[in-house]
Amino acid sequence: MSKILNNYLDQVVLYANRSAKESESLRDELKDHLETGIEARVENGESREDAIYEAIMANGDAKTVGHKLRPRFPLIDIRSEGIARGFIAIGPRAVGVFAAGGVAVGVVSFGAFSVGLISIGGLALGLFGWGGLALAVLACGGFAAGAIAVGGMATGLVAIGGQVFALWSPSFGNGYSYFTSSNVPEILSSLEIYAHGLYKIVQSMNIVLFFYFALLALITFAQVREKRRVDQHRRVI
């Protein structure tokens, strides 16, 4: 078999990241498919070298093809390149039940841009959001906006923070509160317990940051291992 074709098949299988048995089957299927195309080109008068090159180019980049051959939604999908999709997804971009990456979308999401029921990151969107900028129903961060918001700057129905803009703000921080303790509606005052709960999270920021950086370290370690796995076996066609 051509060395170029062999290298290409190795790369596809590498990016597909399947079990040994599945990898062997995928490799054989792809080899047969490419060989058919190569033989057809040779019969049309092309040299075998040109036929191999054109068949590979027509099939697509090894990384793209390999990623497409990964399971549709595996238990764990870790990538150092592209979009990870899985129950646990870790990548530059990730979609999953638990998703972590530069861009993360999931039930629980962690990333520079994070969207989820529970989202943590530089920009966090969701039901509960914690981050530099948090836009969520329950928002906690440097700047927090939501139904209940706690942060350095906080805006919402009920808000607690250094600078506040809210319908109702308990006796914390400075800013604007439409209602005072004398005329606040009962429905807003009943939300104070949740606002105080978020406020305690802010007060316990050292503990929160410990778990944040511990999780970041685990995610980084997983990505470095994946990149090393790919780099150790990658060949240039």
Side-chain angles (χ1 to χ4, degrees), residues 1 5-14 16 22-38 55-56 58-66 69:
M1 185 193 302
L5 180 59
N6 194 50
N7 289 349
Y8 177 78
L9 293 171
D10 286 347
Q11 286 190 50
V12 171
V13 170
L14 173 66
E22 289 175 327
S23 294
E24 185 178 352
S25 177
L26 283 173
R27 197 179 194 284
D28 288 342
E29 288 179 15
L30 183 55
K31 175 189 170 185
D32 290 342
H33 169 71
L34 289 172
E35 287 285 6
T36 299
I38 291 167
I56 289 175
N59 195 64
D61 176 69
K63 178 174 66 176
T64 302
V65 174
L69 291 173

Side-chain angles (χ1 to χ4, degrees), residues 214-234:
L215 184 57
L216 181 62
L218 286 173
I219 291 167
T220 302
F221 174 74
Q223 287 182 310
V224 168
R225 280 194 66 184
E226 172 64 8
K227 187 175 188 305
R228 187 176 298 157
R229 182 187 75 86
V230 172
D231 288 345
Q232 284 177 344
H233 297 87
R234 181 186 287 166

